Amino acid sequence: MTGGGRGGRLLSGPGDLNAPTIRHLGRRIWALLRNYRGKLAGTAVLVLVGSSLGVAVPLLTQRAFDDALFPHDGGVRLALLAQLVGLMIALSIAASVLNVLRTYLTTSVGNKVMADLRSQLFSHLQKMELAFFARTKTGVIQSRLANDVGGVASVLTNTVPSILANTVTVISSLAAMLLLSWQLTVVALILLPFLVLLQIRIGRVRQVIARRTQESLSDMTSITQEALSVSGIVLSKVFNQEAAETARYRAENDKQLKLQIKQQMTGQWFFGSVQIVMSVTPAIVYLSAGWLLTQSWPITAGTLVAFTTLQARISMPILSLMRVSLDVQTSQALFARIFEYLDLRPGITDRRGAVTLPAGTIRGGLALENVSFSYSPPPVTGEVTWALENVSLTIGAGEFAAFVGASGAGKTTLSYLIPRLYEATRGRILLDGTDIQNLTMESLRQNIGMVTQETYLFHSTIAENLRYARPSATDAELVRATKVANIHDRIMSFEAGYQTVVGERGYRLSGGEKQRLAIARVVLKNPPLLILDEATSALDTTGERLVQGALEAVMADRTTIAIAHRLSTVISADRIFVLDRGQLAEQGTHEQLLADGGIYARLNLAQLRSAEDLAG
């Protein structure tokens, strides 16, 4: 189970669902229903009226027996019998109509609440910091949105109305039974308290199983997401691991099967016992009625028929309430899993009083003051593992700055700190002299454009992928952006042009084409600060030359930070910063750093020799 953001606490397991926790869950579930109080009130009225009509039918049956079929003065009163039967039919029809209306209201409310909950959860996850997604499997998150939310849907669409309807039915029927004969009522319900206690114990067991079942579903979703994505399929095929992936999924599927069977079967012997008790109760009632008659208690045939009708009428509601009670206890584990995500606090948020950057006012000057960053929380004891340590530097507005260094030196990490995808552990980052932590994240990121190492495209058209940067962009603006990135002609070579669907993660396009689309997308955004993280890494020499020429036009009049592995792409940089194991080791122009004969010079020499070896 993955942990939360700073200060966020996840429930450790079913043992957390103690009485205070359950009461807290109840209040939060009610809060979800609060906006639908009108429909809920209407549902309650329909339930009350429908249940009352249901109780009236057995009472009319008593009159039909005692006053119409077997009156004290003898003979059959056919007219009265016809009236009573007609009334029973009318009440039954009315009860059915009310039940349809009640079902509509409950289904409407339940599904709307589920839609609200799913949207709320998705919106909250959008606010979580990048670190949360870096340590959490995508499949686990998908499972929370799909399996967990879907798992509690029936609680609001079926379970809650069922509890209300069955409770009213049981109470009204018991009241009628007591009116008919309190002695027979005692006989009919004498075993009920013992059954309730047993049901509570079974519910606790099912609660544990339900949580394990959802965790297994999360694992299955994660395996599916990883193994059946385009990248996952390619990986499994080229390494000949299809059988291994199938075996991994089958193992988790078998585990899920066993848990589902265990969850369904837990308590079935209990329900079988309850059904036996309910089934034999009328016979016991008949026997008790016979004994009462021998004791001169006045019980008529109509009373006995009405009583057993009512007893039969509450049998299913009582059994249903016990089943529903188990479902509610099971769903508590699912609600807990949903709320534990909603309770996570984003690790990076706007400070109180954060300033919004006015559009068009950003010049793009950057300064880092003793910036340090660690991906791991600082330990209580021992040394911190720093990805960046005490980095101080200045980049002037409109400058082209480059960061170079060996893999793992901290180049990409630094690029993540500028738009606050991660927060600096120590030190400050200033944009035009203002601490970026004092700016709203929305306005900060609105003024920053990034082209990352891994180009991400949606399974949509080229035009829609481009407009992700600026939804209001016109077709002419799309064309201008793609021409800058030297991808327009390639797009027009497709039969559907800009309406070409690129496939999942842009799989229909080559690496270079995807990279140029990403560059066109950031060109369309037109930010004053541009970050290029290995922006030409997927291009061949010809493609790199084309895009480099295009980027020179894009970089004009804006601050550009380029993270580069190939030093040939940053020779023209105004300033080159060399990172080594998280620290700033050197800085200067290409010529200055070569003359210094330090790390940069050694990197340049190694790349030249590598190029010569390839050419040879």
Side-chain angles (χ1 to χ4, degrees):
M1 186 59 64
T2 306
R6 292 182 191 171
R9 186 185 78 88
L10 293 184
L11 297 177
S12 60
D16 287 306
L17 295 178
N18 48 34
T21 301
I22 291 172
R23 287 195 295 270
H24 179 63
L25 283 174
R27 288 193 296 270
R28 297 190 68 172
I29 294 169
W30 169 244
L32 295 172
L33 298 167
R34 193 171 296 151
N35 292 333
Y36 303 96
R37 284 174 290 187
K39 288 187 176 181
L40 291 174
T43 300
V45 170
L46 291 174
V47 168
L48 289 170
V49 175
S51 298
S52 300
L53 294 179
V55 170
V57 173
L59 297 178
L60 290 173
T61 301
Q62 180 194 29
R63 285 207 60 196
F65 267 81
D66 292 343
D67 298 338
L69 288 171
F70 309 106
H72 297 298
D73 56 358
V76 177
R77 298 177 179 176
L78 195 57
L80 177 59
L81 181 61
Q83 291 177 2
L84 292 171
V85 170
L87 190 54
M88 283 189 278
I89 293 173
L91 291 178
S92 297
I93 293 173
S96 296
V97 172
L98 293 176
N99 184 59
V100 172
L101 294 175
R102 176 181 65 81
T103 302
Y104 168 75
L105 287 178
T106 55
T107 302
S108 174
V109 170
N111 282 286
K112 285 181 179 178
V113 170
M114 284 303 98
D116 292 345
L117 185 58
R118 191 175 283 114
S119 296
Q120 184 181 352
L121 182 57
F122 185 89
S123 175
H124 183 72
L125 288 170
Q126 285 283 317
K127 298 174 184 176
M128 295 302 296
E129 72 279 9
L130 182 59
F132 169 79
F133 298 97
R135 64 176 179 262
T136 307
K137 289 183 178 180
T138 304
V140 171
I141 297 173
Q142 290 174 342
S143 181
R144 297 282 172 123
L145 282 165
N147 298 329
D148 290 359
V149 174
V152 300
S154 63
V155 175
L156 297 177
T157 56
N158 299 319
T159 304
V160 173
S162 177
I163 290 174
L164 182 60
N166 289 324
T167 300
V168 173
T169 298
V170 170
I171 292 174
S172 58
S173 298
L174 283 176
M177 289 166 65
L178 288 169
L179 287 174
L180 292 172
S181 173
W182 68 265
Q183 298 92 339
L184 295 180
T185 302
V186 171
V187 171
L189 302 178
I190 194 168
L191 293 177
L192 187 60
F194 301 101
L195 296 176
V196 171
L197 291 175
L198 183 58
Q199 172 266 324
I200 292 173
R201 293 190 63 183
I202 294 172
R204 290 172 181 166
V205 175
R206 288 189 66 176
Q207 197 175 84
V208 174
I209 298 172
R211 189 176 185 92
R212 291 175 180 169
T213 301
Q214 292 305 115
E215 290 171 354
S216 175
L217 276 174
S218 293
D219 291 339
M220 286 186 66
T221 304
S222 182
I223 292 172
T224 302
Q225 190 272 334
E226 291 174 351
L228 296 185
S229 65
V230 172
S231 300
I233 286 292
V234 170
L235 192 66
S236 67
K237 288 184 180 297
V238 297
F239 284 97
N240 199 29
Q241 290 295 311
E242 295 102 320
E245 290 296 335
T246 301
R248 184 164 71 113
Y249 185 84
R250 183 180 290 117
E252 194 60 47
N253 193 32
D254 290 343
K255 178 181 177 182
Q256 176 66 203
L257 172 64
K258 292 175 183 177
L259 285 169
Q260 290 283 2
I261 293 173
K262 190 173 182 181
Q263 182 172 327
Q264 293 297 322
M265 290 306 299
T266 299
Q268 290 305 309
W269 284 110
F270 164 73
F271 287 121
S273 301
V274 172
Q275 287 179 316
I276 291 172
V277 170
M278 295 297 181
S279 298
V280 302
T281 297
I284 297 174
V285 167
Y286 295 144
L287 181 61
S288 301
W291 182 81
L292 289 173
L293 286 171
T294 63
Q295 303 301 314
S296 300
W297 283 88
I299 298 177
T300 65
T303 298
L304 188 57
V305 171
F307 186 91
T308 52
T309 301
L310 287 167
Q311 188 275 327
R313 188 171 183 271
I314 68 169
S315 296
M316 288 307 297
I318 288 176
L319 186 62
S320 178
L321 282 173
M322 289 183 174
R323 287 186 182 275
V324 162
S325 180
L326 291 182
D327 291 339
V328 169
Q329 288 176 282
T330 300
S331 68
Q332 286 169 355
L334 307 187
F335 272 116
R337 284 168 53 85
I338 295 169
F339 288 136
E340 65 189 16
Y341 261 26
L342 289 174
D343 288 340
L344 295 176
R345 290 178 292 176
I348 303 175
T349 58
D350 287 339
R351 284 182 175 178
R352 183 176 297 179
V355 178
T356 298
L357 290 170
T361 62
I362 300 303
R363 296 173 56 249
L366 273 176
L368 277 66
E369 298 179 351
N370 297 313
V371 171
S372 297
F373 175 77
S374 174
Y375 283 100
S376 303
V380 178
T381 58
E383 295 185 0
V384 178
T385 302
W386 295 109
L388 290 172
E389 185 175 8
N390 296 325
V391 175
S392 295
L393 56 87
T394 301
I395 301 172
E399 279 192 345
F400 172 24
F403 288 88
V404 301
S407 297
K411 305 184 297 296
T412 297
T413 297
L414 192 146
S415 74
Y416 285 161
L417 297 182
I418 296 171
R420 295 183 68 193
L421 299 180
Y422 285 93
E423 200 83 284
T425 308
R426 294 194 313 222
R428 299 195 307 164
I429 300 176
L430 307 178
L431 176 60
D432 288 343
T434 302
D435 190 336
I436 61 172
Q437 292 190 13
N438 293 328
L439 303 173
T440 61
M441 285 188 291
E442 181 180 1
S443 64
L444 172 67
R445 293 168 183 171
Q446 187 64 37
N447 287 279
I448 298 175
M450 288 189 72
V451 178
T452 58
Q453 295 180 41
E454 182 182 358
T455 301
Y456 190 91
L457 298 175
F458 296 101
H459 185 75
S460 187
T461 65
I462 291 174
E464 288 170 339
N465 271 285
L466 290 170
R467 285 196 173 96
Y468 194 75
R470 187 153 57 89
S472 61
T474 64
D475 290 345
E477 288 172 325
L478 296 188
V479 171
R480 280 197 294 270
T482 54
K483 284 184 175 180
V484 168
N486 285 308
I487 190 65
H488 171 72
D489 291 342
R490 177 61 179 137
I491 293 172
M492 295 309 297
S493 71
F494 294 121
E495 183 178 351
Y498 282 81
Q499 298 307 311
T500 301
V501 176
V502 300
E504 185 180 358
R505 302 178 70 88
Y507 201 74
R508 287 188 59 185
L509 306 177
S510 70
E513 290 166 351
K514 287 190 290 185
Q515 202 80 332
R516 280 183 280 169
L517 268 184
I519 293 170
R521 186 164 56 187
V522 82
V523 168
L524 196 64
K525 184 178 181 180
N526 193 30
L529 178 59
L530 182 62
I531 300 174
L532 307 172
D533 186 358
E534 303 281 4
T536 60
S537 62
L539 305 180
D540 56 23
T541 304
T542 302
E544 179 184 359
R545 191 178 299 114
L546 289 171
V547 173
Q548 279 297 129
L551 284 175
E552 288 179 7
V554 176
M555 289 155 49
D557 301 322
R558 80 182 76 231
T559 304
T560 302
I561 296 173
I563 295 167
H565 174 70
R566 287 185 287 195
L567 303 186
S568 59
T569 63
V570 296
I571 291 175
S572 61
D574 298 310
R575 205 171 330 183
I576 299 172
F577 299 96
V578 182
L579 293 175
D580 181 38
R581 289 175 288 186
Q583 296 182 327
L584 181 59
E586 300 172 2
Q587 61 177 299
T589 63
H590 173 71
E591 291 77 11
Q592 290 170 341
L593 292 172
L594 286 181
D596 290 342
I599 296 174
Y600 183 85
R602 291 194 295 272
L603 286 172
N604 184 68
L605 181 60
Q607 290 192 13
L608 288 175
R609 287 176 175 173
S610 176
E612 290 174 356
D613 291 342
L614 289 174

